Amino acid sequence: MKRLIEQRNGFDPESHFNLGIAYYTLGDYDKSIASVETALNQVSEQNSELKRKTQAFPEAHYWLGRVLYESKRDPAYAVKELRLATQEDPNNVTAHYYLGQALRAMVEKEILTEAERAFETYIEGGSPLGQEEEVQEFLRSRKSISPQ
């Protein structure tokens, strides 16, 4: 695929996309993400040059979102890409599944982390409402899920 891309002076969105899937299969998430992003950028450039949206690439958005989710890189970016995939192809039920997973991961990473910080501040402030045991139990459960 790399040779095919070289023969086309680097511009071959489909080959970049396929290369991204190959890297994913090999477990090289960084190269997978870079290749799929290149494919999407090239489709976007092509659409821009034609001054209209002529081509969508929902499968590339799906794969980028999936790799971002599975590699635990950036849940918010995964959600963005998977939303695009489901908007461009509402029948891609696999994209809907990964969108749900990425949203859940984003909640766990962002919202529950913020809750932890708030409860830690509450404990440090002397637990004035008397809910220390309940808060400690939550904090213990979070630490057992994701040790820091």
Side-chain angles (χ1 to χ4, degrees):
M1 281 187 263
K2 287 182 179 181
R3 280 192 218 127
L4 181 59
I5 292 169
E6 288 172 11
Q7 290 172 354
R8 295 185 177 163
N9 295 322
F11 192 89
D12 187 350
E14 192 70 32
S15 291
H16 281 289
F17 171 68
N18 289 328
L19 186 59
I21 293 174
Y23 283 132
Y24 166 81
T25 303
L26 295 171
D28 192 336
Y29 295 129
D30 290 332
K31 287 182 180 177
S32 177
I33 291 166
S35 293
V36 177
E37 284 178 329
T38 298
L40 286 166
N41 288 336
Q42 287 183 354
V43 167
S44 179
E45 289 171 19
Q46 192 173 41
N47 290 340
S48 177
E49 288 172 9
L50 296 173
K51 303 280 191 260
R52 58 191 165 102
K53 185 170 180 147
T54 59
Q55 181 179 19
F57 208 162
E59 196 66 12
H61 289 293
Y62 159 71
W63 274 100
L64 180 55
R66 178 177 172 171
V67 173
L68 288 163
Y69 163 73
E70 288 185 357
S71 66
K72 299 177 176 32
R73 294 292 199 284
D74 186 342
Y77 187 19
V79 166
K80 174 185 167 279
E81 291 301 317
L82 290 160
R83 279 186 176 145
L84 287 170
T86 59
Q87 289 167 359
E88 292 175 4
D89 181 6
N91 296 320
N92 184 341
V93 293
T94 310
H96 285 277
Y97 168 79
Y98 279 102
L99 175 58
Q101 292 287 45
L103 284 164
R104 192 171 85 184
M106 190 170 73
V107 166
E108 288 176 3
K109 182 177 182 183
E110 296 176 9
I111 304 301
L112 291 177
T113 300
E114 186 176 348
E116 284 178 36
R117 286 191 300 264
F119 282 142
E120 287 167 352
T121 301
Y122 170 78
I123 297 290
E124 290 167 7
S127 306
L129 300 175
Q131 303 298 324
E132 183 173 0
E133 185 55 38
E134 174 188 339
V135 170
Q136 290 290 5
E137 185 175 322
F138 169 78
L139 293 172
R140 280 191 298 275
S141 73
R142 292 294 300 148
K143 293 199 186 323
S144 71
I145 292 172
S146 58
Q148 293 178 347

